[in-house]
Amino acid sequence: MAATKQTIQDFYRVASERDFTRDVQFRVLSISPQGTTTKFDENDLVYARTASLPARAISNVSTKYMGLEFNLPGIATYPESAGYIINFYADAQSGLRQKFEQWSRDTFDDADSTGNYLTPTTNSTIDLVQLDNNFERVNQYQLVGVSIRNIGAIAYTMAEGAGNIMNFPVTLAYHYWKNVSTK
């Protein structure tokens, strides 16, 4: 049996060589909704407050033979792809929120029952960037087939507010993601 080296010294050595990713080392690089008049640029996305790397899972296909159950890999699925949430800081003029509102109206406008609610194309994307300690790109993930689902409320507390910076969540859907790192 092979020796397993999991001492404190081994942990320290590996940790000092590889370090750890920190919760501030992530950015929303770009949002490109296709089939809409809404346009985002780099000045809009500095307001992303929280987001997460998307998940990917391989489904399990169970099959039996002579009473023994075999677990085989199946298709890829993307958990939370129907409800991917990015939380944004609300700028003082609500410019960023207004862009999401426009995207929502471009998708479906209940005033005249029109909109672009067709299947999102491969050009409708969100690019996410994972960074190292020097804020250099480590990985870049692209969510493909993105469309808007929900613009969350901004909850003001006028009577008891402390002047906190407001934020709002935006829920998006996507078909799949791919790693587009150039490393």
Side-chain angles (χ1 to χ4, degrees), residues 18-22 24-27 129-139 183:
R18 296 183 189 169
D19 207 353
F20 296 96
T21 189
R22 312 301 171 134
V24 297
Q25 295 172 321
F26 189 72
R27 297 289 184 272
V129 179
Q130 192 178 18
L131 306 169
D132 66 13
N133 288 340
N134 296 316
F135 293 98
E136 298 292 327
R137 182 179 314 194
V138 173
N139 287 307
K183 262 183 126 176

Side-chain angles (χ1 to χ4, degrees), residues 29 127-130 136-142 178-183:
L29 185 63
D127 286 291
L128 308 168
V129 179
Q130 192 178 18
E136 298 292 327
R137 182 179 314 194
V138 173
N139 287 307
Q140 181 172 335
Y141 299 89
Q142 186 173 74
K178 58 186 178 179
N179 188 314
V180 293
S181 293
T182 55
K183 262 183 126 176

Side-chain angles (χ1 to χ4, degrees), residues 6 8 11 33 37 43-45 60 63 80 86 95 105 116 123 136 142-143 145 147 155 161 181:
Q6 293 182 351
I8 292 172
F11 174 82
T37 61
N43 294 320
D44 296 318
L45 302 173
N60 190 62
T63 187
E80 291 89 41
I86 301 175
R105 296 275 180 214
N116 182 10
N123 293 328
E136 298 292 327
Q142 186 173 74
L143 308 183
S147 55
S181 293

Side-chain angles (χ1 to χ4, degrees), residues 99-140:
K99 286 190 177 192
F100 285 110
E101 290 172 2
Q102 181 61 48
W103 186 5
S104 177
R105 296 275 180 214
D106 286 346
T107 302
F108 186 82
D109 190 344
D110 48 357
D112 56 11
S113 298
T114 61
N116 182 10
Y117 44 91
L118 304 171
T119 302
T121 69
T122 56
N123 293 328
S124 190
T125 60
I126 295 178
D127 286 291
L128 308 168
V129 179
Q130 192 178 18
L131 306 169
D132 66 13
N133 288 340
N134 296 316
F135 293 98
E136 298 292 327
R137 182 179 314 194
V138 173
N139 287 307
Q140 181 172 335

Side-chain angles (χ1 to χ4, degrees), residues 60-72:
N60 190 62
V61 177
S62 178
T63 187
K64 290 185 178 182
Y65 182 75
M66 296 183 68
L68 183 59
E69 190 167 324
F70 291 88
N71 295 299
L72 307 172

